[in-house]
């Protein structure tokens, strides 16, 4: 019984890592589609999101079965409930990558980002990709050292996100209103993606150490 | 044992309804703050969000205790896991009401919404308030009839949300870029609020009927 249980727990952990890897892949492609106005890549990301949703559902069903059949307690129970939450965050990260791809598709063949903002969005996107890569590693290795880098990347994204709004507020902002909408949404998607990455990171830390460190959530 | 268990399940249900009522209160006040540039009301909403977060945490801890101590199976287990998910959605709805209040505070003493968009945002806000009122009733009574109205309100919000973007794209859109950002975010917050309301509604339906009806998620 115990052996089956350990195998099930292991499987849940594997699936989490697998979803996280698919999310990284989605964000990597979404970023390329977004930066290069590549509609085929955008379609790929949009289509591949169903796979993430499927895996999340599968993981959740598996977790509920383990709860029903094994009646876990203490840290095992917390691990399983934590997995349900982490899978929800990862699924949401997949949605956000899809939203980025949808923006690219919506504006094709034009670019979403005007020339003077390309660097800012590139940095945000690279940080998001890095966060989800590190998340996969964190989920796989439970090496909590990874967390600091994820928190730092998230802080930098928050700065860049605020910077986008500052640029838009400056008197020499002269892009069309529709682009302003796109950039507002894109910036928010990148920022939310990182935020969910931080949620998962905190959850892993909690499951490993048993200590919960609430961070104040970023505002608008 | 069974009696304690039923009492615990009942308590979890009560807490969900209570959180939902606080969310309604938050959205009602946030809307007034947003429409009337009322900074005190905005501060109220922002401060009161901690209470929602606290209750969500309390509910989650209670649910985990029930899982550990009672080892529920079948529909009871699904009800508890479902509660964890619903509490997460409700907590997020509280956050979105807070974001609306934060926008009002950020622009105080100015109004966020220009005159020609007041009606649109008023309708969105009223629909959101209605959705969360109906959600409380749905959680309390399990009367699934409520669901149709919630889905209909959500569809209408999606239309209004698309309408905001259409207005912004029109050639005679002449509000400052900063306002365009605010309206983009506000519209998205109202739309997301309804979307989470729909998630909770679907979850209640699933728990009552055992049937899951996935709806295609709205795009950008």
């Amino acid at each position: 019984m115990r052996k089956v249980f350990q195998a099930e727990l292991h499987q849940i952990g594997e699936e989490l890592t697998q979803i996280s890897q698919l999310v990284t892949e989605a964000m990597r492609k979404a970023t390329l589609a977004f930066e290069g106005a590549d509609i085929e890549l955008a379609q790929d990301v949009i289509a591949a999101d169903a796979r993430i949703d499927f895996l999340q559902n599968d993981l959740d069903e598996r977790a509920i079965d383990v709860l029903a059949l094994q009646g876990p307690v203490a840290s095992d129970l917390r691990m399983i409930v934590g997995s349900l939450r982490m899978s929800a965050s990862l699924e949401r990260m997949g949605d956000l990558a899809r939203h980025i791809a949808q923006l690219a598709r919506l504006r094709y063949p034009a670019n979403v980002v005007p020339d003077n903002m390309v660097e800012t969005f590139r940095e945000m996107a690279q940080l998001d990709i890095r966060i989800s890569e590190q998340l996969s590693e964190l989920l796989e290795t439970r090496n909590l050292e990874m967390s600091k880098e994820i928190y730092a990347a998230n802080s930098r994204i928050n700065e860049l996100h605020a910077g986008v709004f500052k640029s838009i507020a400056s008197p020499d902002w002269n892009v069309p209103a529709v682009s302003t909408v796109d950039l507002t949404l894109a910036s928010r998607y990148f920022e939310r993606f990182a935020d969910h990455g931080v949620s998962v990171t905190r959850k892993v830390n909690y499951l490993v150490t048993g200590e919960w460190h609430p961070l104040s959530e970023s505002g608008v």
Side-chain angles (χ1 to χ4, degrees), chain A residues 45-154:
Chain A
V45 176
I46 295 162
D49 192 40
R51 174 84 187 140
I52 293 176
D53 296 350
F54 172 83
L55 282 175
Q56 186 215 356
N57 204 47
D58 191 68
L59 185 153
D60 288 2
E61 288 301 317
R62 191 182 298 276
I64 291 171
D65 283 351
V66 173
L67 289 173
L69 299 173
Q70 314 274 353
V73 294
S75 63
D76 289 338
L77 172 58
R78 289 204 176 256
M79 192 291 207
I80 293 165
V81 173
S83 299
L84 289 170
R85 294 221 181 93
M86 290 190 279
S87 78
S89 291
L90 290 169
E91 187 270 331
R92 194 68 202 128
M93 290 167 83
D95 284 348
L96 291 161
R98 174 167 55 79
H99 287 342
I100 302 276
Q102 282 169 322
L103 271 181
R105 184 175 66 176
L106 185 67
R107 296 305 166 210
Y108 177 83
N111 268 307
V112 177
V113 182
D115 289 349
N116 61 336
M117 299 291 280
V118 164
E119 270 313 310
T120 303
F121 279 92
R122 181 165 298 155
E123 191 181 347
M124 280 185 133
Q126 292 308 320
L127 287 164
D128 269 349
I129 292 168
R130 190 82 192 103
I131 284 174
S132 65
E133 282 172 350
Q134 287 175 319
L135 214 49
S136 302
E137 207 173 320
L138 178 66
L139 286 165
E140 206 171 348
T141 64
R142 302 280 164 123
N143 172 6
L144 301 183
E145 276 303 303
M146 222 92 261
S147 317
K148 275 182 227 155
E149 272 187 71
I150 294 174
Y151 297 145
N154 179 56

Side-chain angles (χ1 to χ4, degrees), chain A residues 16-32:
Chain A
L16 270 184
T17 307
Q18 196 190 344
I19 298 174
S20 176
Q21 286 164 345
L22 288 176
V23 167
T24 305
E25 181 79 0
M27 191 42 122
R28 202 178 280 138
K29 285 185 179 170
T31 293
L32 288 172

